[in-house]
């Protein structure tokens, strides 16, 4: 083989690697079967390439009901045949997560918090790897507390940051802490912001998103079972967060950004704010208002997908 | 008032405090309404003392289906009137958690991981406080990976330990890390071990339980999307855990122990092991075997509750 051919193959190989979902585990290839336990799927009992090989967009969110509603919504938006009400949960063998496939879109719930989404991401990345899916973009569509923003604002995440406003995720591996970058795809974020400008009633900003390990003490709420700080200390912490570019607070973005990055998946986090944390801690809006807010990231990502698929010019 | 009377009142007051669920938040009493957002309940829209004042046993576990099954099981065990199949989810307004009340027993799901159970515990503790519940014991009934135990063994937790085998939980409060003890109630653990000896086919041990932030890298699994260590390094970590008294690994026990302790709730963790991690990482047992294993903590806790209620002498 000539050096020229070798170069060609090398470049094609790099392109292949770039497009495919990369697992970083030398042990996987040697396994006779890979049971994706929390999805109740396996690469021996299910034909994963046939089931998932055409996936281009993965949308994940905390609530099972919300991700089912999103699947039904995107079914209508893509004008696919069949009754959107009749979509079935691919993970019906377990209640850990739910999963719906709608054309090239996969909609999955991940529960609340870093550990819960982390299990889902390990199994999702292996699923996409086994399925030989290519050019996949992953979106987290969530809810959050806003920092200095009107409720209902959609935050497209620039950097996912930890409780000290650092763009990093600390992962424990065999009892040792390692650090991973939490940078997200800038191109996808810009494209999403452009989409928001083409839509009515989806006020959107790009900003940093703080990811915490709990909803109460870690986010400076005064309404938990435990609270050892004053209102002034809470507001001081939120002010520092705002100065560090934080515009919203949620509980999954750092590990989501870190794992997608390590595995070569383009990723974006799009969360609507349910309240402005400078004004309070409790979520007091009516059910109808909250429902409309939660549709905003869905409408935005649907618009992005339709543009990418050429359904909107 | 004489010093003697003062002493009496002080002692009674201490007893009152000991029996009641203690919130540690001076702001709560001043709130006009307390919305328990993730339960879809509030102390203004619901009569919490009427609904929950008689609760004596709270049983929590990750899976919504499992905690519904437990509610139906304990309904039969306590020989309560009505059809166990017709129990209704008190949290039906949300899909974050499910909750069933069966006589003096509350059965609640908490999802996977420390953040998810932590949100539930904040709202549970506030609920029990608003309801003026007294003398409550809280049990976590879970699944886990065993360390040097045959699959199906029930581990009653002595100490919940972190990834470095320390009996502590690190909580971030306004960007600062504080440490809380994770000791559980020794008396309840001994009573549970005694119960296991009175039952057939519930092999049980008391041991330490390691709580991790993820299922794959943090637990030394070789079958995740990411794996940067060797089989030998994995086994070495598990061996060190075993030497530190760890007999199983799960993902919620440290924050469960820490929060119950701070709030004066007697608590126990009872998890069945689904595999022996020295032998592998994947959960390969059949559905029927796993279902039977998962009933073991339920049978054990049911026996404990029936003894406490005087239904078994």
């Amino acid at each position: 083989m000539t050096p020229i051919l070798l170069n060609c193959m090398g470049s094609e190989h790099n392109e292949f690697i770039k497009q495919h979902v990369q697992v970083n585990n030398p042990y996987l290839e040697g396994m006779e079967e890979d049971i994706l336990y929390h999805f109740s799927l396996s690469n021996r009992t299910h034909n994963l390439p046939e089931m998932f090989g055409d996936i281009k967009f993965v949308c994940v969110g905390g609530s099972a009901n919300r991700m089912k509603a999103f699947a039904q919504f995107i079914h209508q938006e893509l004008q696919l045949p069949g009754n959107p009400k009749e979509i079935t949960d691919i993970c019906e063998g377990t209640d850990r997560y739910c999963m719906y496939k709608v054309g090239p879109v996969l909609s999955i719930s991940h529960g609340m918090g870093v550990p819960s989404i982390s299990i889902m991401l390990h199994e999702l990345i292996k699923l996409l790897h086994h399925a030989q899916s290519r050019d996949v973009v992953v979106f987290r569509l969530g809810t959050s507390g806003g920092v200095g923003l009107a409720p209902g604002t959609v935050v497209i995440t620039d950097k996912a940051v930890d409780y000290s406003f650092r763009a990093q995720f600390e992962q424990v591996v065999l009892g040792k802490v390692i650090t991973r970058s939490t940078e997200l795809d800038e191109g996808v974020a810009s494209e999403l912001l452009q989409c928001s400008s083409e839509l009515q009633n989806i006020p959107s900003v790009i900003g940093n998103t703080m990811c915490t390990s709990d909803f109460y003490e870690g986010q400076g709420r005064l309404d938990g079972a435990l609270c050892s700080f004053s209102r002034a200390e809470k507001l001081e912490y939120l002010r520092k967060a705002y100065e560090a570019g934080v515009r919203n607070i949620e509980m999954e973005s750092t590990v989501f950004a870190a794992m997608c990055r390590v595995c070569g998946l383009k990723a974006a986090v799009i969360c609507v704010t349910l309240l402005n944390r400078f004004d309070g801690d409790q979520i007091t809006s009516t059910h109808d208002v909250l429902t409309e807010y939660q549709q905003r990231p869905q409408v935005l990502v649907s618009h992005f997908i339709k543009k990418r698929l050429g359904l909107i010019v």
Side-chain angles (χ1 to χ4, degrees), chain A:
Chain A
M1 214 180 273
T2 69
I4 290 164
L5 272 173
L6 262 175
N7 278 345
C8 285
M9 280 200 62
S11 148
E12 268 172 24
H13 184 68
N14 284 345
E15 197 53 34
F16 175 91
I17 292 289
K18 259 172 70 182
Q19 292 168 340
H20 277 71
V21 180
Q22 302 155 36
V23 292
N24 282 277
N25 179 354
Y27 291 98
L28 274 188
E29 295 310 314
M31 286 168 59
E32 272 187 38
E33 178 175 14
D34 185 14
I35 299 171
L36 307 173
Y37 177 70
H38 301 85
F39 286 161
S40 198
L41 297 173
S42 141
N43 65 345
R44 269 184 69 182
T45 55
H46 297 76
N47 185 336
L48 300 180
E50 193 176 286
M51 290 172 75
F52 300 105
D54 63 338
I55 291 294
K56 299 294 173 199
F57 308 98
V58 179
C59 300
V60 306
S63 149
N65 289 348
R66 182 151 39 83
M67 296 323 289
K68 183 176 186 181
F70 175 71
Q72 292 171 336
F73 172 67
I74 197 79
H75 190 286
Q76 290 176 313
E77 290 287 295
L78 300 184
Q79 299 184 315
L80 293 175
N83 185 348
K85 296 283 174 206
E86 286 170 10
I87 55 170
T88 55
D89 181 3
I90 297 169
C91 298
E92 63 183 355
T94 173
D95 65 348
R96 299 298 189 172
Y97 305 110
C98 72
M99 181 191 291
Y100 303 92
K101 183 176 183 300
V102 180
V105 181
L106 202 59
S107 178
I108 315 175
S109 68
H110 56 61
M112 290 186 287
V114 160
S116 188
I117 194 175
S118 138
I119 298 174
M120 190 282 289
L121 287 171
H122 271 279
E123 299 187 12
L124 168 66
I125 290 163
K126 292 199 293 176
L127 180 151
L128 295 172
H129 170 75
H130 292 311
Q132 298 166 17
S133 311
R134 300 168 68 147
D135 300 316
V136 177
V137 187
V138 189
F139 306 88
R140 166 166 146 68
L141 291 76
T143 56
S144 62
V147 182
L149 296 175
T153 307
V154 172
V155 179
I156 302 161
T157 303
D158 179 12
K159 293 190 188 71
V161 302
D162 70 6
Y163 61 84
S164 290
F165 322 131
R166 296 168 297 192
Q168 64 177 48
F169 175 67
E170 292 187 348
Q171 170 72 46
V172 176
V173 180
L174 296 186
K176 296 193 183 75
V177 179
I178 64 164
T179 298
R180 290 186 177 138
S181 163
T182 56
E183 279 185 43
L184 291 154
D185 192 90
E186 276 185 34
V188 174
S190 305
E191 212 171 318
L192 283 162
L193 191 66
Q194 172 59 31
C195 287
S196 76
S197 72
E198 295 161 10
L199 293 162
Q200 299 292 313
N201 204 26
I202 313 283
S204 304
V205 298
I206 289 185
N208 290 344
T209 296
M210 181 163 75
C211 177
T212 66
S213 284
D214 81 323
F215 188 76
Y216 290 97
E217 294 175 283
Q219 298 190 12
R221 277 191 157 82
L222 301 169
D223 63 339
L226 306 172
C227 178
S228 55
F229 44 87
S230 69
R231 192 179 303 273
E233 288 168 322
K234 163 201 156 170
L235 292 173
E236 173 67 8
Y237 184 60
L238 291 181
R239 197 188 53 72
K240 281 188 191 158
Y242 188 87
E243 282 173 7
V246 170
R247 292 297 174 270
N248 65 338
I249 309 175
E250 45 78 92
M251 298 176 62
E252 296 86 13
S253 58
T254 48
V255 75
F256 173 81
M259 286 188 65
C260 288
R261 190 180 164 85
V262 171
C263 296
L265 281 162
K266 289 193 174 184
V269 178
I270 308 101
C271 292
V272 71
T273 61
L274 301 182
L275 75 168
N276 179 0
R277 289 295 316 289
F278 282 114
D279 296 337
D281 297 323
Q282 294 232 315
I283 299 164
T284 52
S285 295
T286 64
H287 183 266
D288 288 350
V289 168
L290 293 174
T291 301
E292 193 273 311
Y293 285 171
Q294 290 178 36
Q295 286 164 351
R296 294 182 181 184
Q298 300 186 10
V299 172
L300 183 57
V301 169
S302 163
H303 189 77
F304 178 103
I305 290 173
K306 286 191 289 179
K307 280 182 81 173
R308 279 278 180 112
L309 293 175
L311 300 175
I312 302 174
V313 188

